[in-house]
Amino acid sequence: NATSPVIVDGKVCVSGGGPGETFLAFDRSSGEVHWKAGDDLMTHATPHVTSFNGKPQIVFFMQSGLISLDPKTGDEQWRSQFPFSVSTAASPVSSGNQVYCSAGYGVGAGLFQVSDKTEADEVWFKSNELMNHWSTPVIHDGHLYGIYEFKKYGKAPLQCVELATGEIKWSEPGFGPGNVILAGDKLVVLSDAGEVALVNAIPTSYQQLGRAKAIDGKCWSTPAFSNGMLYVRSTTEGACFDLRGQ
């Protein structure tokens, strides 16, 4: 499957399978099982590590919707229903006590408010809109920045979306289903054709600082940024670029 494990407090947490084993936590050093729980069906989405109301949590995006667990015990904290169709691949993201999620194949996107209740409250839901096919957006200063639309290869836009309302603030086509990360206050965008763009993460307008062809091949993977170095890969090659001073 395409979901990645996450590490929390020395535990490797993953989506599993089978009755009572949907969620699994292994000791990082020994592989010993710390806890296992749940009967929900998994998706391709990687879990999201965050905290709500001061409590550390892992949010899993399952076929039934969002499910949040206590990383220490595996106990369920809350859940919310969300539609499923064919495949869910983008991970949920959060800001404050709100969590956003999205899926393709005609599903759409939604924002949920987390409280002390066992069910998160829906703030808004847009059916068949704001679909992140497999590109997980980032949140910066109350706005989502990500690749939207479904199967728009070479054409899907980078968009800025107001988190509180789901309103699109600006849209720039020509990226295809690539991926976006945040480096400081700048977006690093990798198009499906292997172009890298640096864009200001501001809601007023699309402000591109630079764009260049980085690698050949199909790019459906997420770039990585560390110590001023940008790492990208495609179906045919990988590359590292020095962005220090940019």
Side-chain angles (χ1 to χ4, degrees):
N1 62 67
T3 178
S4 298
V6 294
I7 297 177
V8 187
D9 296 331
K11 302 180 187 70
V12 180
C13 302
V14 299
S15 296
E21 298 183 343
T22 291
F23 311 110
L24 297 161
F26 301 92
D27 187 272
R28 178 177 178 176
S29 299
S30 68
E32 177 187 356
V33 177
H34 277 277
W35 49 257
K36 56 183 179 179
D39 301 317
D40 294 85
L41 297 176
M42 67 188 299
T43 67
H44 294 95
T46 295
H48 174 60
V49 179
T50 186
S51 63
F52 296 107
N53 301 309
K55 300 177 183 178
Q57 300 183 30
I58 311 174
V59 182
F60 290 83
F61 198 0
M62 311 300 286
Q63 292 186 29
S64 55
L66 299 175
I67 302 174
S68 182
L69 304 184
D70 183 333
K72 291 184 178 180
T73 63
D75 293 338
E76 185 174 316
Q77 303 300 293
W78 57 267
R79 65 170 56 213
S80 66
Q81 294 184 349
F82 194 83
F84 173 80
S85 176
V86 183
S87 173
T88 294
S91 296
V93 291
S94 63
S95 177
N97 286 337
Q98 294 183 323
V99 57
Y100 164 90
C101 61
S102 175
Y105 297 94
V107 175
L111 181 70
F112 297 87
Q113 180 74 33
V114 179
S115 62
D116 291 328
K117 299 185 296 185
T118 57
E119 290 277 344
D121 295 320
E122 182 182 293
V123 179
W124 54 259
F125 175 76
K126 294 184 179 292
S127 178
N128 203 31
E129 297 181 41
L130 298 181
M131 288 183 289
N132 300 113
H133 191 176
W134 55 68
S135 172
T136 300
V138 297
I139 298 178
H140 182 65
D141 289 343
H143 292 81
L144 293 154
Y145 297 90
I147 303 291
Y148 289 85
E149 298 293 344
F150 179 70
K151 289 190 176 181
K152 300 289 186 180
Y153 305 109
K155 300 177 182 179
L158 173 69
Q159 291 183 334
C160 171
V161 177
E162 186 175 55
L163 182 64
T165 63
E167 178 187 352
I168 298 173
K169 293 298 184 179
W170 54 255
S171 182
E172 182 70 19
F175 286 93
N179 279 279
V180 179
I181 60 172
L182 185 68
D185 59 354
K186 295 178 176 62
L187 305 172
V188 180
V189 191
L190 177 63
S191 77
D192 63 349
E195 290 184 321
V196 170
L198 295 180
V199 180
N200 279 329
I202 56 174
T204 51
S205 63
Y206 175 79
Q207 294 185 8
Q208 181 175 286
L209 302 174
R211 185 165 178 167
K213 178 70 172 178
I215 50 177
D216 293 323
K218 182 170 61 179
C219 298
W220 288 357
S221 57
T222 304
F225 184 76
S226 178
N227 297 320
M229 311 299 283
L230 176 67
Y231 302 86
V232 294
R233 67 179 178 89
S234 71
T235 51
T236 58
E237 60 183 0
C240 175
F241 296 90
D242 188 346
L243 297 186
R244 288 172 292 185
Q246 299 298 314

